[in-house]
Amino acid sequence: MIPEVRKAYNQQFTDARYQAFLEGMAQDAGIAPDFRVAETPVFVPAVLTTKLIQACEEIINVILRPDFKSITQDAIPSDLKVPHENEHPHFIVIDFAVTREEGGDLAPKLIELQGFPTMYAFQDVMARQYKNHFDIPGQLSNFFNGIDETTYYQLLRKMIVGELPPEEVILLEVKPEEQKTRIDFYSTEKYIGIRTVCLTQLIQEGKKLFYLRDGVKTPVQRIYNRIIFDDLQKQSAELGTHVNLFQDLDVEWITHPNWFYRISKYTMPFIHSEFVPKSWFLHELPVIPADLENYVLKPLFSFAGQGVLIDVTPADIDNIKDPENWILQHKVKYAPVIETPTGPAICEIRMMYIWPDSSPRPILVHNLSRISKGKMIGVGFNSTDTWVGGSCCFFEFA
């Protein structure tokens, strides 16, 4: 998206460099990515960087509302509430489509947001390997707020581990070795110093949790949570005997599971910004828009596998039996802004925040990107294309 940087990058690219880049990531993490990593990062011009940060901060302002917990009290399904929710999430990720405004300027449009950690350790491994194997201009950065590679991992370690013994903090997931994101678990152990533990490996004694670390029963004081609890609920029967995480346990959560639901599609109708598509809870929709073809209907929760309705009709809206569990949202049109040797591509940019307990506001630290040439964004939808897949951004600052 920075034309001169894009042109220079495409000219320097060779498949040998790309293969060395992939090997560099695998050597650093100790395992190869189980998803396609794009041949290129995304180069974000200063004007778009400014808009992305503005959009994020406007969203953060809503999360900071004193009544945020009360307006999102119905966001958490009653059977998925976990005790001991804290006052704020420790991680927030905000996803934007890159679009073009009517005048042709680039602009972000909110797609999704989550109070949940994602790929925080691995994303800097990826960015570092892009810098190692390609000529990334020095004035562009994958970090924000004066952070560098050393201070980035220091911040993560301080928030995830803090003053606790690292062996008493675990990354918790269900069947971690089967997850496509497991390269991040390896990087988390390397750079943060904590082990990944499967839910089925937890041992409960009263309210306390333990796990076997090299054969030694070790207490768990803090969980760096990577479990999505509605997924857990679907898999619960096939997991066999395992600890019930919905009970009163003597453990601290980073991030507490309830925030996954509070900061989600449920939040979007409360956000009023030029960078956020208009959204309504369906039961609060004042009138069905005349241009309904420009809207999508999204379930707040995936009940019985129900998905997004893209070509919405008035009959679809009338047929919804639980309108309080759906939102109607203006469609977002991705712009093909990334020029590649095999044709233009679209992209999403994920802005990644951490929120230490000592900070009055979340801190923007890193990013993630997904590049696609199809209708769907996501690393699982790009199996045959090239110059697509998971990536990261390097930002120009004004």
Side-chain angles (χ1 to χ4, degrees), residues 356-371:
D357 289 332
S358 59
S359 176
R361 290 181 72 91
I363 303 166
L364 180 59
V365 292
H366 215 288
N367 76 89
L368 177 153
S369 183
R370 298 187 185 98
I371 301 174

Side-chain angles (χ1 to χ4, degrees), residues 60-103:
I60 296 297
N61 287 341
V62 174
I63 296 170
L64 286 168
R65 281 176 50 167
D67 63 344
F68 185 76
K69 278 200 172 185
S70 63
I71 65 175
T72 58
Q73 63 182 351
D74 295 329
I76 312 163
S78 58
D79 57 341
L80 293 177
K81 289 183 178 177
V82 175
H84 306 304
E85 181 182 322
N86 63 333
E87 289 308 304
H88 65 76
H90 295 97
F91 295 91
I92 300 171
V93 296
I94 309 176
D95 292 350
F96 295 93
V98 177
T99 71
R100 283 201 186 274
E101 298 173 326
E102 287 187 10

Side-chain angles (χ1 to χ4, degrees), residues 169-187:
V169 181
I170 61 168
L171 186 158
L172 188 65
E173 178 57 288
V174 176
K175 300 180 180 178
E177 288 303 316
E178 297 181 13
Q179 302 298 327
K180 285 191 175 295
T181 55
R182 65 183 181 272
I183 192 169
D184 183 63
F185 308 157
Y186 282 71
S187 297

Side-chain angles (χ1 to χ4, degrees), residues 183-203:
I183 192 169
D184 183 63
F185 308 157
Y186 282 71
S187 297
T188 299
E189 178 167 351
K190 178 176 179 178
Y191 290 104
I192 310 302
I194 63 173
R195 296 275 181 91
T196 299
V197 175
C198 179
L199 171 62
T200 59
Q201 296 172 317
L202 288 178
I203 302 163

Side-chain angles (χ1 to χ4, degrees), residues 220-277:
V220 177
Q221 292 200 54
R222 183 179 289 172
I223 292 173
Y224 176 41
N225 181 52
R226 298 296 290 271
I227 295 176
I228 296 175
F229 273 59
D230 47 354
D231 287 346
L232 169 61
Q233 197 176 47
K234 294 169 189 172
Q235 300 178 66
S236 187
E238 64 188 55
L239 288 177
T241 303
H242 61 275
V243 170
N244 172 16
L245 296 174
F246 299 99
Q247 62 183 305
D248 182 5
L249 295 169
D250 186 11
V251 70
E252 183 182 355
W253 295 92
I254 306 280
T255 275
H256 192 283
N258 292 355
W259 287 104
F260 177 83
Y261 301 98
R262 290 191 184 276
I263 299 176
S264 64
K265 289 190 292 286
Y266 194 96
T267 318
M268 292 182 69
F270 299 107
I271 307 170
H272 305 291
S273 163
E274 63 181 298
F275 305 116
V276 177

Side-chain angles (χ1 to χ4, degrees), residues 254-323:
I254 306 280
T255 275
H256 192 283
N258 292 355
W259 287 104
F260 177 83
Y261 301 98
R262 290 191 184 276
I263 299 176
S264 64
K265 289 190 292 286
Y266 194 96
T267 318
M268 292 182 69
F270 299 107
I271 307 170
H272 305 291
S273 163
E274 63 181 298
F275 305 116
V276 177
K278 291 180 180 178
S279 306
W280 294 270
F281 293 111
L282 195 56
H283 70 294
E284 295 179 352
L285 185 67
V287 64
I288 295 177
D291 60 337
L292 200 53
E293 68 275 8
N294 292 322
Y295 290 81
V296 294
L297 199 55
K298 292 183 175 182
L300 292 172
F301 315 103
S302 297
F303 291 126
Q306 290 175 312
V308 176
L309 296 177
I310 296 175
D311 298 312
V312 186
T313 66
D316 290 327
I317 293 177
D318 291 340
N319 289 335
I320 299 293
K321 305 303 182 188
D322 55 344

